[in-house]
Structure formats: C-alpha cells, structure tokens
Amino acid sequence: FAEKMKKAELASTLKFAVVAFVILPFLPNQEYGPLGIFNPFVVWLMVVFISGISFAGYIIQKWFGEKGIALAGILGGLVSSTTVTMSFAERSKKENKVYLALVLGVVLANGIMFGKILLEVFVLNRNLFFELLIPLLSLAIITAGFSYFLWEKAKKVKGKVMLGSPFTLGPALKFGVFFAMIIALVKVANVYLSSKSVYIVSLISGLADVDAITVSLSQLAGDSLSLEIAKRGILIAALTNVAVKGGIAYWFGEKR
C-alpha cells in the first residue's frame, strides 16, 4: 500500500489531518448572525465529515486496486457518483462494446449514493434516519434489481474510474461555503416563507450536490425544522441528483 502511494496522495493525507485535527478544534462552536445562520465549528465539522467519507472511499479503492468496472462504480460512489457517471459516460463513446458494464457501474454508484445519504443522516440525526430508512431503502432495492439483470453480461469487463487526489483543499472549502449557504437558505425559507421554499432549495441543491443539503437538513430537523419537511427535502435532492446524472449520461454518453 505504501509503495503504491504517490507524493500527491501523501500531501493530501497531511492536508486532511490539518483540516480535521488542527483547524477544527480552534473554531468557535457558537451561532452568529440573524437566526443563528452561521456556526463556524459546525460548518467545518461537516467539511471534515464529508471529506472523511470520500477519503475513506479513495483509500478502499486504492487498497483493492482494479477489480472491474462494477467495483470501480461501487467504490467511486463513496467518493462521487457524479464523477463516476461523467467518467463512464465519456468512456462509453470510446469503448461502446462495454456499454452494459459502464451502465452497471453508474447504477451501482448511484445505489451507493442512497446508502451514503443514510450513513450521513444516521450519524447526524437518528430520528430523521428512521423517517428516511424505508424510502431510501426502497430506492436501493430497485437499484439492486436493475443491477442484478446487468451483472451477468457485464461482470467480466475490467476497468477503473479516475478519481484524482483523495483530498484537495479547494473542493473542501467550496463544500463548506455551499453548506453554509444552504443551511442559511433553509433557515430563512422555513421562518419567513413556507415549507415549499425549503423544497425549492432542496431541488436547486440537488442539481449540484446531495451531501450539502443532506447534512444541512439533518442538522436542522427536529429543532428549527420538522422531520417531515427535512425528509421530503432530502428525497427531492436525491431524486433531482439522479435525474441530473441521467442528463449527463444522455448528453455525454454513447446513446445505447
């Protein structure tokens, strides 16, 4: 494992250690601004949390190496299912004979996304987790059903997905800003507007990222936001994100 580690990956590991164990403990854990929309410690904690999940997924993939497109899709889904979708869509135009295997990889990556959402909610809000368990489990089962029919034809095809560095500070900071904006929008929408406004925020967030809205609503659910609204918001974001990946596959992938 050490021999396969690149210089950039070692640097990324050190950066993650600084972000998690040096910066985080020094940030004030208190709310600022109207409605307490900004808490530096909570925002940075979510950066560490999401980066940690992606980091673990990268390490697992590095450990297992190339074991086929299906495994690449599963492990890639822990890091970024959107990256997997884009990578496999572009590859399908160059290697259209293995399109079924690439479809399987994308479907599995999206299935892992549902599990990742449940993991995030379980850690942050147990009450919300039980509200989301049945609908997200249902989506995961449907995904598994489609995957089963593709598996026999596609399992022998080898391949990988390029995920880049396991941790880069730029994307982590962007996530932090995005998370802070989403949690502020949800709080304002819930107090001054209506639940429908929270759903609109979820829809817009789902176009780009599911993690930010998931952790935002998990933080607020049961406190300043009802569990039902948080549950619906996360589901809207998840389904929107799947639809976006469908668009990526259509526009950037081989038509079959």
Side-chain angles (χ1 to χ4, degrees):
F1 181 83
E3 287 175 351
K4 291 180 180 179
M5 183 175 279
K6 299 175 183 177
K7 185 177 180 180
E9 292 167 342
L10 180 59
S12 295
T13 304
L14 294 173
K15 287 177 188 176
F16 180 73
V18 170
V19 165
F21 303 113
V22 178
I23 297 175
L24 182 64
F26 285 98
L27 291 174
N29 187 9
Q30 64 185 75
E31 296 178 339
Y32 295 92
L35 303 177
I37 61 174
F38 180 63
N39 184 318
F41 182 85
V42 170
V43 170
W44 201 254
L45 181 63
M46 293 305 104
V47 171
V48 173
F49 180 47
I50 299 303
S51 299
I53 293 175
S54 298
F55 195 84
Y58 187 97
I59 295 299
I60 292 169
Q61 184 170 19
K62 190 78 174 178
W63 185 267
F64 281 99
E66 295 177 30
K67 300 292 184 181
I69 289 176
L71 183 61
I74 291 171
L75 297 177
L78 282 172
V79 182
S80 171
S81 55
T82 305
T83 299
V84 173
T85 305
M86 179 63 78
S87 173
F88 284 9
E90 291 177 344
R91 181 175 172 181
S92 69
K93 286 190 172 182
K94 301 173 185 176
E95 304 174 57
N96 55 32
K97 291 182 180 179
V98 301
Y99 75 95
L100 277 175
L102 297 170
V103 171
L104 174 62
V106 171
V107 171
L108 286 171
N110 281 275
I112 290 298
M113 182 191 75
F114 299 133
K116 186 179 174 184
I117 291 171
L118 281 174
L119 172 63
E120 291 167 3
V121 177
F122 178 79
V123 172
L124 298 171
N125 193 321
R126 299 291 168 82
N127 292 329
L128 182 59
F129 170 78
F130 290 112
E131 290 285 330
L132 281 166
L133 185 59
I134 292 177
L136 284 177
L137 205 56
S138 300
L139 288 169
I141 291 170
I142 292 170
T143 303
F146 279 104
S147 300
Y148 175 78
F149 289 109
L150 291 165
W151 175 255
E152 286 299 322
K153 293 181 180 180
K155 65 181 180 180
K156 293 182 180 179
V157 180
K158 299 294 181 183
K160 64 179 179 178
V161 56
M162 299 303 293
L163 294 170
S165 177
F167 177 81
T168 49
L169 196 56
L173 292 174
K174 287 178 183 177
F175 174 82
V177 172
F178 191 48
F179 168 72
M181 289 172 58
I182 292 298
I183 204 166
L185 285 172
V186 170
K187 279 190 174 184
V188 172
N190 188 51
V191 172
Y192 292 109
L193 301 171
S194 65
S195 59
K196 290 182 180 178
S197 301
V198 176
Y199 301 151
I200 292 171
V201 173
S202 298
L203 180 69
I204 295 170
S205 178
L207 293 173
D209 179 76
V210 177
D211 293 327
I213 192 68
T214 298
V215 295
S216 299
L217 295 179
S218 297
Q219 287 279 337
L220 299 175
D223 183 14
S224 57
L225 195 70
S226 73
L227 287 174
E228 187 62 27
I229 292 175
K231 168 189 170 183
R232 291 176 181 175
I234 290 174
L235 290 174
I236 287 169
L239 294 174
T240 301
N241 196 255
V242 172
V244 166
K245 288 173 197 138
I248 289 172
Y250 180 79
W251 290 107
F252 295 97
E254 202 273 330
K255 289 298 176 280
R256 285 185 296 173

